Amino acid sequence: KLTGSTLAGIGDTFGYTDTTSPYSKWSVRALASIDGTLYAGGDFTSTANDPLVDYIARYDSVGNRWKPVGNGLSGIVRVIVAYDDTIYIGGDFQNAGGNASADYLAKLVSGTWQPVGTGVNGPVLALAVSGDRLVVGGAFSSAGGVSGVNNIAVWDGNDWSAIGGGVTDGTPEHLWHSGTPEQVLARVDAIVARGNDVFVAGDFRIAWNGSASVNANYVARARWDTGLQEWNWAGLDGGLTIEPDSAFESYTDRLEHARALAIREHPSTPGFDLIVGGFFTRANGQRSYDLARWVVGNSDCPTDGPTVTIGSPGEGTTITGTSVNLSATAAPSASAQLTQVAFFTNGVLHEVVTGTTSPFTSTWSNLAPGPYTVVAIATDDADKSSASPPINFAVKAAGGPT
């Protein structure tokens, strides 16, 4: 936890025993604060003080230790949420609490894990509350006996239903659970809700309104029509893609996907931003590396701040050696004067260059071969700042491969 400017550990140490999955060291995968208590879920199967903590735990702030939750799980917990005053969990587990019907999704009732109706038939990766509904996402094809839900479904406390025809057409990949790789063709990894809208992200390209397909490209919106009493899917502009980049072969070798979502309400104007994180290089065709926002309403970002662009190195260039000269050109906002340009390299502050006129220059040395990103942030004496588009380049050793 962050106290002031200091990071400190929480409770006793988690332990784990699953060593067959390449992701087994990702001990904590889910956090949720419910009624003032912090819950953690993941791969762990014990703590330093309690061997009975399996895959989910609650934090005892008085004793500064983690304690068991429920009556035993057999696999990874990936998401935790409170719905209808009850704790729900999703993940890779089966037979939660010894209940043969509690696979992949379970709720805690009087200290015992219970099934949610007749549940779903595959891993649950995302949960979100939308009004009086629990929206469930993951890698499954049926929910509560309703077939063809395609990776997303709704639980209303009594019954299961589909959200249109769900989402499909992802890239076949392996989802590890309980130490076993299972190939999935599409998946929903994140869900957020706002009003009658449900936003989903994951590995899929198509959403379905009946037999009509909707181009989604890894992020989409489902809206509940209160008049027709049905869900309708829509894409978010052109979605997310990876474009070829000669300096970053590692991007083109990887599979694009979205993994995280958040809603940011505009503090002073109507509307909101949907923030999307994942692995991509373009959002609706605009350069955006791994993080993007979809704006609803007027953007509340200032439009009269300073401007800054990086002139060197150029986008997509390859540099031979161990150092690179950074150069940025900036201009202040109206009736203001520049005070500094800060260079951030691979997300870390490299140097603050003070001054009032361009160019602003710096040298980045001792670089190992590989891909790099640099961003410049200009600030003026009106206390306004803005960031340049990120510049991505590669470094290769002298005499190394081209």
Side-chain angles (χ1 to χ4, degrees), residues 48-70:
N49 296 304
D50 196 332
L52 300 179
V53 173
D54 282 335
Y55 304 104
I56 186 170
R58 64 178 177 86
Y59 178 57
D60 173 9
S61 59
V62 176
N64 191 33
R65 59 184 296 180
W66 294 97
K67 293 187 174 182
V69 178

Side-chain angles (χ1 to χ4, degrees), residues 93-119:
F93 53 82
Q94 294 178 299
N95 302 326
N99 192 316
S101 299
D103 292 345
Y104 310 113
L105 179 68
K107 60 182 179 180
L108 189 65
V109 179
S110 300
T112 301
W113 293 113
Q114 298 290 329
V116 180
T118 53

Side-chain angles (χ1 to χ4, degrees), residues 10 12 50 54 62 70 78 125 149 158 205 209-210 238 265 299 314 334 341 357 361 367 381 392:
I10 301 176
D12 41 348
D50 196 332
D54 282 335
V62 176
R78 295 179 181 267
L125 310 176
V149 298
N158 295 295
R205 293 186 178 90
N209 292 322
E265 299 291 341
S299 173
V341 167
T357 58
T361 62
L367 300 179
D381 59 7
N392 300 277

Side-chain angles (χ1 to χ4, degrees), residues 187-209:
R187 54 194 272 182
V188 169
D189 285 286
I191 306 171
V192 292
R194 185 183 188 273
N196 290 327
D197 290 340
V198 170
F199 297 93
V200 303
D203 186 2
F204 56 84
R205 293 186 178 90
I206 302 294
W208 294 91
N209 292 322

Side-chain angles (χ1 to χ4, degrees), residues 12-401:
D12 41 348
T13 305
F14 288 122
Y16 58 93
T17 56
D18 177 14
T19 58
T20 57
S21 165
Y23 308 119
S24 62
K25 293 185 179 180
W26 294 5
S27 291
V28 176
R29 297 174 184 255
L31 293 171
S33 179
I34 300 173
D35 294 332
T37 298
L38 178 64
Y39 292 83
D43 306 58
F44 51 84
T45 53
S46 66
T47 70
N49 296 304
D50 196 332
L52 300 179
V53 173
D54 282 335
Y55 304 104
I56 186 170
R58 64 178 177 86
Y59 178 57
D60 173 9
S61 59
V62 176
N64 191 33
R65 59 184 296 180
W66 294 97
K67 293 187 174 182
V69 178
N71 56 328
L73 294 172
S74 61
I76 299 168
V77 171
R78 295 179 181 267
V79 60
I80 307 168
V81 75
Y83 166 67
D84 196 22
D85 296 322
T86 303
I87 295 175
Y88 283 70
I89 59 172
D92 307 346
F93 53 82
Q94 294 178 299
N95 302 326
N99 192 316
S101 299
D103 292 345
Y104 310 113
L105 179 68
K107 60 182 179 180
L108 189 65
V109 179
S110 300
T112 301
W113 293 113
Q114 298 290 329
V116 180
T118 53
V120 298
N121 68 340
V124 170
L125 310 176
L127 296 171
V129 177
S130 175
D132 58 359
R133 307 177 181 93
L134 179 66
V135 185
V136 180
F140 51 84
S141 60
S142 68
V146 179
S147 61
V149 298
N150 289 324
N151 308 305
I152 188 166
V154 171
W155 170 253
D156 67 3
N158 295 295
D159 298 300
W160 285 95
S161 59
I163 297 184
V167 293
T168 64
D169 290 65
T171 303
E173 60 179 322
H174 285 98
L175 177 67
W176 284 81
H177 64 91
S178 301
T180 303
E182 177 181 316
Q183 188 179 65
V184 297
L185 303 180
R187 54 194 272 182
V188 169
D189 285 286
I191 306 171
V192 292
R194 185 183 188 273
N196 290 327
D197 290 340
V198 170
F199 297 93
V200 303
D203 186 2
F204 56 84
R205 293 186 178 90
I206 302 294
W208 294 91
N209 292 322
S211 60
S213 63
V214 176
N215 290 328
N217 287 334
Y218 313 104
V219 60
R221 182 196 68 205
R223 174 168 291 172
W224 176 249
D225 188 316
T226 56
L228 297 176
Q229 293 289 290
E230 66 180 19
W231 292 96
N232 287 289
W233 285 101
L236 304 187
D237 297 322
L240 309 171
T241 56
I242 286 182
E243 299 296 331
D245 191 326
S246 60
F248 291 93
E249 291 85 357
S250 59
Y251 268 94
T252 56
D253 289 344
R254 296 281 298 275
L255 303 176
E256 60 262 60
H257 51 243
R259 290 290 187 257
L261 293 172
I263 295 286
R264 173 187 172 269
E265 299 291 341
H266 292 174
S268 56
T269 61
F272 65 97
D273 296 344
L274 177 72
I275 311 298
V276 185
F279 196 91
F280 51 88
T281 65
R282 301 292 188 273
N284 193 35
Q286 301 179 64
R287 184 180 295 153
S288 188
Y289 288 84
D290 302 334
L291 190 68
R293 63 178 183 145
W294 191 67
V295 181
V296 177
N298 295 323
S299 173
D300 63 345
C301 292
T303 59
D304 61 345
T307 60
V308 58
T309 57
I310 295 175
S312 177
E315 170 66 22
T317 58
T318 298
I319 295 169
T320 300
T322 60
S323 66
V324 59
N325 294 320
L326 308 176
S327 178
T329 300
S333 57
S335 303
Q337 189 174 57
L338 290 170
T339 59
Q340 66 177 46
V341 167
F343 290 98
F344 287 80
T345 50
N346 284 355
V348 178
L349 177 63
H350 168 66
E351 184 179 3
V352 176
V353 181
T354 59
T356 59
T357 58
S358 297
F360 294 82
T361 62
S362 178
T363 299
W364 190 9
S365 302
N366 301 317
L367 300 179
Y372 293 90
T373 300
V374 59
V375 173
I377 297 180
T379 304
D380 61 27
D381 59 7
D383 199 28
K384 294 180 178 180
S385 62
S386 64
S388 71
I391 295 296
N392 300 277
F393 65 96
V395 171
K396 72 181 185 72

